[in-house]
Every structure is written in structure tokens, then in C-alpha cells.
């Protein structure tokens, strides 16, 4: 049986798709058979981040509506063994997804994979609810700003009530906090919420902290998940996150403002 | 011109409205027991019993034989005005109509899960069957209520969440959302919390917004109650 992990946030633009891509890549790099599903029907993005947009033929909606087989729609990742992508449809909308359809797809994938990562759309409507409904674990992606924290709080409420685990009275969905775009410099100057404030409000376990990094933008635009950029701070932070997801203890990094050294002050610029 | 003519000939217009309505959920059909409990409540909160319209909900009753007429009489004698019945079978529907009451179909099982599953650890109800204890964070968008008594929250009430009670609201944690005490008009009710950041505070309909709160009190333990029709916020020591 595969573990189903939903990457969700409520608010848009906080880094759900980037995180889903980076984490599923990390899981696969560690030798786990992993599939990542784009639930953002109508606003397909995951294929771009994963760099497989030119290889999309069939998608999730085709599979659910019986127009294509699951194996026809799954795209094998070229860089990482054990990793597959199930893209969303760009021409349809979220109404094309059905609970039964999603359940069947997940059940079938469960037979062949260790991890199923569901990349949720923003919002709290149908698409987001279907993405989280069958989840065993949730990674709640949050930026260090008040609106993102409030939306994450809302999503946590839904995870505790509108999921199969909640409705059937099973063990609750394991909730984990992933803070992205964290900039210790701006936290220190008071422009951003700090780690402790966010954790105090959301009161769930922290699984990772991804620093604001140019590497993320670079990765998105080149279609290579940032996990492959092992030299970058964000890439390392995602690898740490994956390790913690797999049960390893890893100390938190990148959450403190580093005094810039002499050379970096001269050659300056932002973080890599 | 034609519009004016029409207006003159219109005796009334129908308008949809959502009015607050008290539902009296019966757990027994015994008029004696209901009467006894009403008498008790009447002495506690006389303000509530002023020919208040109520809907009698019989959904929780199994027996089909219900002395509806006697029940209505008991309610009226305690200054409650039954206006409709909710639930029950065909027989109850017919007798409600015969008594000049409205009838509503049983309430569909609504998704009240946010309230029930989150606090799976709480026993929920105290001996009088009215108070409620909620353990854990009340999150944005969630609502936890104790429509018959005090509400105790052991945890935080986050921004965008709402906690309400007929009696007092006690929050053993930071209160960042909205808290409404005395929702049926109990002016003795209060709000108590460990850390005040509330978006809105209300006791028996008198409210204060975060803006109106003395900044010195923010983040401190406080008690809130009505004093001479004003909401008084005082340090809790």
C-alpha cells in the first residue's frame, strides 16, 4: 500500500507545486517508487516544473473518464528513476473530477507505488478537497506572512473534517508544516513572521523550512526540480525535508540569518 | 405610471428572510418533565422567556405518539410560543397543522464534523446536558458552540474561528478569533481567556472589535463581562 501525501496550502503562490515536485523527486532519489499527481485541472503547472510538458498526451481527467488507461497517462521522469508524473488536464475544469474516479486512480496506483504525492490546487473548493480527501499525510505549505498562515489554518480544519480518514473515524491525517520562502534577513527586520510565531498559531509539527532562494526560480523556469540542484540551499532544504518525511532526524538549517562573509559581501548578490 | 398603479394595488410582497429561531430539541415526550425543566430555566434566564418563538424538534424522539397539544400548552404557560414542529412522521405533521403550527421536514444530517471529530477526546457534555468542552485548536473557518450552556476551549481559538455559548466562554489558550457569550441574551455571561487577541468579543449582543480594545490588554489574560450595558475588559489575576 502506498502512502498518499497531499501537498496543500489554501493560498495560491506559496510553493505547492514546487514543493510537490521537489519532494516527489527527493522520495524517488531515495529509491522509493513515487508518482506525483497534478490535481490543478485547468491550470496545469506541475508538468512545467517537472520539465515534461512536451510529453503530455493523456491526463488525469482522461483516465477518470475512461478515455485512456492509467499507463498511457503516466509520464516517466527522464532524470529520476522510480518517478512518474500524472498530469492534469488544461482544457477541462475541476468539475470533471469525481470522487469515485479519483479513488479508483489512487487505488490502482497504490498497487505499484510506495508514495503518491498529490499536488493540490489553491483554494478550498472541489479540486482541493478531492486532492486531500484520500490522503494519509498532508504537507501544509506556508509562507511567513499572515494571510498564508490563516489560509493554512483553514486547510488544517478541513483536513480534520473533510477527509476519508476523518469521515470514517480512522487515525487522523498526519499534518506537517512546510515553511517556504523563508528569509531570515527579513524575519529579523520584522517584515516576515518568524518560525516560532507560525508554529505557535498552526500548532503542527514542522517537517521542513525552505529558504527564499534564487535556485527555486531558476529550477522552475528550467523545468528541473530544485532537489537536483544539490549545491543550492533550497535543494538541500528539500532533501532534509524528504529525510524527515522518511523518519530521519535532521537539524533545522537556513532559519538563522547568516552574517555575510567578506567575499560574499564583495561579490554580493542574493542567495544561490 | 404603470409602476405606480401596481404599487397601489399591491397589498403585500413576499420576502425571504432568515430569522434567528430557537429550536427546542426534545429528548422526551413527557410534558411533565419538559414543564419541570422549563420552570428551572425560567428562573435562571427570565429574559429569554418572553413569548419567544420556538420550533419544537421531535427528531430525537422514537415514539410516534406525541401529545402535541399538551406540549404546546406547557410551552405557552412558560412564555414560549411554539410556531412550528420539525421532524416526526405523517401523524405529527397532521396534528401540527391541525393546531395551526407549521411543519418542517427533519433536518438532513449536516456536516457538523468539524465540530465533532476535532474534539474526539472531549466528553463534550456535562451533567446538565448543556455545557461543552473542546480540546484542541479551533481553526480558521471552524465554529464551536454550546447552545445550552458554557463553552470551555482547551487550546487556541485562531483568527477566523468562532466560539459561541449561551453561557460563558472560557478559553485556556490564546483567543484570536471571535468569541460570543450569552447568545440567547444571558447578561451574566462572560468571556475568559489566557491571551487576548480576539477579533470580536460579544456578551449578550453587546460587542467590541479588536480596534476598540485597550492595547495594553492585548496578549494578557482577561475577563470580559457586561457592566452597565458596556462591555468591560479587565485583567484576570
Amino acid at each position: 500500500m502506498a502512502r498518499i501525501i497531499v501537498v496543500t496550502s489554501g493560498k495560491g503562490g506559496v510553493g505547492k507545486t514546487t514543493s510537490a515536485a521537489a519532494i516527489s523527486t527527493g522520495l524517488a532519489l531515495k529509491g522509493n517508487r513515487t508518482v506525483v499527481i497534478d490535481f490543478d485541472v485547468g491550470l496545469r503547472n506541475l508538468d512545467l516544473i517537472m520539465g515534461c510538458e512536451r510529453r503530455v498526451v493523456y491526463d488525469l481527467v482522461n483516465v477518470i473518464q475512461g478515455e485512456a488507461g492509467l499507463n498511457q497517462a503516466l509520464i516517466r521522469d527522464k532524470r529520476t528513476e522510480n518517478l512518474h508524473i500524472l498530469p492534469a488536464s488544461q482544457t477541462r475544469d475541476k468539475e470533471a473530477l469525481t470522487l469515485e474516479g479519483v479513488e479508483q486512480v489512487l487505488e490502482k496506483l497504490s498497487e505499484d507505488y510506495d508514495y503518491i504525492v498529490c499536488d493540490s490546487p489553491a483554494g478550498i473548493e472541489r479540486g482541493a478537497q478531492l486532492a486531500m480527501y484520500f490522503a494519509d499525510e498532508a504537507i501544509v505549505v506556508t509562507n511567513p506572512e499572515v494571510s498564508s498562515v490563516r489560509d493554512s489554518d483553514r486547510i488544517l480544519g478541513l483536513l480534520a473534517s473533510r477527509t476519508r480518514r476523518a469521515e470514517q473515524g480512522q487515525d487522523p491525517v498526519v499534518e506537517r508544516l512546510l515553511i517556504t520562502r523563508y528569509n531570515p534577513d527579513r524575519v529579523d527586520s520584522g517584515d516576515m513572521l518568524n518560525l516560532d510565531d507560525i508554529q505557535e498559531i498552526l500548532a503542527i509539527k514542522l517537517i521542513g523550512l525552505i529558504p527564499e532562494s534564487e535556485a527555486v526560480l531558476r529550477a522552475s523556469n528550467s523545468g528541473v526540480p530544485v532537489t537536483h540542484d544539490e549545491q543550492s540551499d533550497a535543494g538541500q532544504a528539500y532533501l532534509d525535508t524528504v529525510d524527515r518525511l522518511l523518519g530521519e532526524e535532521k537539524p533545522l538549517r537556513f532559519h538563522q540569518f547568516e552574517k555575510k562573509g567578506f567575499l560574499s559581501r564583495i561579490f554580493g548578490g542574493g542567495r544561490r | 405610471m404603470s409602476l405606480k398603479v401596481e404599487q397601489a394595488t399591491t397589498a403585500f410582497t413576499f420576502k425571504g428572510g432568515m430569522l434567528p429561531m430557537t429550536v427546542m430539541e426534545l429528548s422526551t415526550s413527557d410534558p411533565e418533565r419538559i414543564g419541570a425543566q422549563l420552570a428551572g430555566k425560567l428562573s435562571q434566564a427570565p429574559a429569554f422567556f418572553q413569548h419567544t418563538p420556538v420550533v419544537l424538534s421531535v427528531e430525537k424522539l422514537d415514539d410516534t405518539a406525541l401529545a402535541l397539544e399538551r406540549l404546546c400548552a406547557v410551552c405557552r404557560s412558560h412564555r414560549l410560543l411554539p410556531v412550528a414542529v420539525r421532524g416526526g412522521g405523517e401523524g405529527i405533521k397532521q396534528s401540527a397543522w391541525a393546531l395551526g403550527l407549521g411543519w418542517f421536514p427533519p433536518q438532513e444530517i449536516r456536516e457538523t464534523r468539524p465540530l465533532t471529530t476535532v474534539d474526539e477526546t472531549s466528553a463534550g457534555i456535562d451533567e446538565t446536558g448543556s455545557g461543552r468542552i473542546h480540546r484542541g485548536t479551533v481553526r480558521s473557518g471552524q465554529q464551536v458552540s454550546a447552545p445550552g450552556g458554557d463553552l470551555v476551549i482547551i487550546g487556541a481559538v485562531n483568527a477566523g474561528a468562532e466560539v459561541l455559548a449561551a453561557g460563558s466562554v472560557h478559553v485556556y489558550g490564546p483567543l484570536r478569533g471571535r468569541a460570543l457569550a450569552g447568545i440567547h441574551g444571558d447578561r451574566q455571561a462572560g468571556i475568559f481567556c489566557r491571551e487576548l487577541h480576539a477579533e470580536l468579543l460579544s456578551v449578550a449582543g453587546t460587542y467590541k472589535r479588536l480596534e476598540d480594545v485597550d492595547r495594553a490588554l492585548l496578549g494578557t489574560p482577561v475577563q470580559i463581562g457586561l457592566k452597565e450595558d458596556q462591555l468591560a475588559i479587565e485583567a484576570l489575576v
Side-chain angles (χ1 to χ4, degrees):
Chain A
M1 273 302 279
R3 288 293 279 175
I4 303 176
I5 303 175
V6 61
V7 179
T8 185
S9 71
K11 191 166 159 55
V14 296
K16 280 183 297 299
T17 302
T18 301
S19 298
I23 289 168
S24 50
T25 301
L27 286 168
L29 285 172
K30 292 263 167 183
N32 300 288
R33 294 168 301 167
T34 307
V35 57
V36 54
I37 309 177
D38 191 351
F39 271 83
D40 206 348
V41 178
L43 293 167
R44 193 178 85 195
N45 276 173
L46 181 69
D47 53 323
L48 287 170
I49 309 287
M50 300 293 295
C52 64
E53 71 277 11
R54 297 188 184 172
R55 295 196 286 144
V56 176
V57 183
Y58 294 108
D59 54 56
L60 178 61
V61 172
N62 292 136
V63 176
I64 284 177
Q65 302 195 336
E67 296 153 1
L70 197 48
N71 289 331
Q72 288 175 287
L74 284 169
I75 302 173
R76 196 178 60 81
D77 191 83
K78 277 188 172 166
R79 291 181 195 88
T80 321
E81 234 182 300
N82 302 318
L83 181 60
H84 284 85
I85 299 124
L86 183 54
S89 171
Q90 181 71 352
T91 50
R92 312 295 278 272
D93 59 36
K94 270 111 186 150
E95 299 308 309
L97 296 176
T98 62
L99 193 66
E100 297 74 28
V102 171
E103 184 174 21
Q104 279 171 13
V105 168
L106 292 177
E107 245 169 45
K108 211 135 173 244
L109 290 171
S110 279
E111 296 167 9
D112 299 329
Y113 292 91
D114 303 315
Y115 286 94
I116 302 175
V117 178
C118 302
D119 178 24
S120 170
I124 52 172
E125 286 79 25
R126 189 180 177 79
Q129 292 205 3
L130 283 173
M132 72 166 69
Y133 189 80
F134 297 101
D136 300 308
E137 297 182 26
I139 294 177
V140 179
V141 183
T142 306
N143 286 172
E145 51 158 313
V146 282
S147 54
S148 176
V149 172
R150 182 180 293 188
D151 290 0
S152 293
D153 194 40
R154 180 86 168 95
I155 280 290
L156 285 166
L158 294 178
L159 283 166
S161 59
R162 305 277 181 85
T163 51
R164 180 166 66 178
R165 283 179 170 271
E167 287 182 2
Q168 297 185 351
Q170 300 169 355
D171 291 343
V173 176
V174 179
E175 298 160 339
R176 289 171 159 140
L177 176 64
L178 178 66
I179 299 177
T180 54
R181 309 193 66 169
Y182 196 79
N183 185 334
D185 202 355
R186 298 187 64 190
V187 169
D188 280 0
S189 65
D191 293 346
M192 279 185 174
L193 287 180
N194 76 36
L195 184 60
D196 297 335
D197 292 344
I198 302 171
Q199 269 194 289
E200 201 208 311
I201 293 172
L202 295 179
I204 56 170
K205 198 167 179 255
L206 184 72
I207 186 87
L209 181 137
I210 315 299
E212 172 113 77
S213 167
E214 284 168 18
V216 172
L217 188 65
R218 200 162 57 225
S220 297
N221 285 332
S222 57
V224 183
V226 72
T227 328
H228 286 296
D229 188 354
E230 287 162 34
Q231 301 303 312
S232 69
D233 48 1
Q236 291 173 22
Y238 272 116
L239 284 170
D240 284 358
T241 304
V242 170
D243 285 340
R244 290 188 200 106
L245 205 56
L246 295 170
E248 272 180 58
E249 292 282 332
K250 283 269 171 168
L252 201 60
R253 293 197 275 172
F254 311 113
H255 62 293
Q256 267 155 0
F257 179 53
E258 285 168 47
K259 285 218 177 85
K260 279 190 179 149
F262 173 69
L263 285 176
S264 65
R265 249 186 292 164
I266 291 179
F267 299 107
R271 288 164 161 261
R272 269 188 307 156
Chain B
M1 277 312 277
S2 63
L3 264 177
K4 267 191 180 167
V5 174
E6 245 175 58
Q7 246 176 9
T9 54
T10 308
F12 63 83
T13 50
F14 278 116
K15 287 197 170 164
M18 300 274 284
L19 303 173
M21 187 70 84
T22 305
V23 176
M24 194 169 157
E25 199 161 62
L26 301 179
S27 41
T28 174
S29 58
D30 180 5
E32 307 270 310
R33 280 182 59 198
I34 294 168
Q37 197 178 336
L38 277 174
K41 294 259 177 208
L42 181 62
S43 57
Q44 277 173 20
F48 179 63
F49 295 90
Q50 293 179 341
H51 303 291
T52 312
V54 291
V55 175
L56 300 175
S57 163
V58 299
E59 287 160 287
K60 293 224 168 133
L61 298 185
D62 309 324
D63 49 335
T64 45
L66 186 70
L68 203 55
E69 198 169 354
R70 270 193 68 195
L71 227 114
C72 290
V74 168
C75 288
R76 289 200 193 95
S77 67
H78 290 91
R79 280 181 285 156
L80 286 183
L81 204 59
V83 291
V85 179
R86 189 171 76 189
E90 188 63 27
I92 287 177
K93 180 156 119 185
Q94 293 300 337
S95 46
W97 285 347
L99 287 166
L101 299 176
W103 183 82
F104 292 107
Q107 206 177 19
E108 280 171 35
I109 299 155
R110 284 191 311 185
E111 293 187 66
T112 47
R113 284 196 160 269
L115 310 186
T116 50
T117 52
V118 172
D119 62 341
E120 73 270 1
T121 46
S122 76
I125 289 163
D126 69 8
E127 290 131 52
T128 58
S130 53
R132 182 168 181 193
I133 300 172
H134 177 104
R135 288 171 203 275
T137 307
V138 187
R139 299 194 178 277
S140 187
Q142 290 183 330
Q143 196 185 52
V144 177
S145 66
D150 282 7
L151 177 64
V152 178
I153 306 283
I154 301 172
V157 177
N158 277 353
E162 196 168 77
V163 288
L164 12 86
S168 297
V169 176
H170 309 257
V171 182
Y172 293 95
L175 171 56
R176 307 184 182 106
R178 298 164 160 248
L180 295 89
I183 52 172
H184 298 317
D186 181 359
R187 302 174 61 82
Q188 303 301 312
I191 302 170
F192 308 85
C193 69
R194 279 257 178 92
E195 229 180 86
L196 178 73
H197 305 279
E199 290 170 343
L200 185 91
L201 297 160
S202 164
V203 175
T206 304
Y207 67 88
K208 259 191 183 168
R209 298 167 302 171
L210 185 56
E211 265 187 9
D212 313 324
V213 176
D214 180 3
R215 299 186 67 89
L217 291 165
L218 295 183
T220 64
V222 294
Q223 51 182 329
I224 295 133
L226 278 181
K227 270 193 184 161
E228 291 158 3
D229 288 338
Q230 293 278 324
L231 213 58
I233 308 178
E234 290 164 3
L236 188 63
V237 273

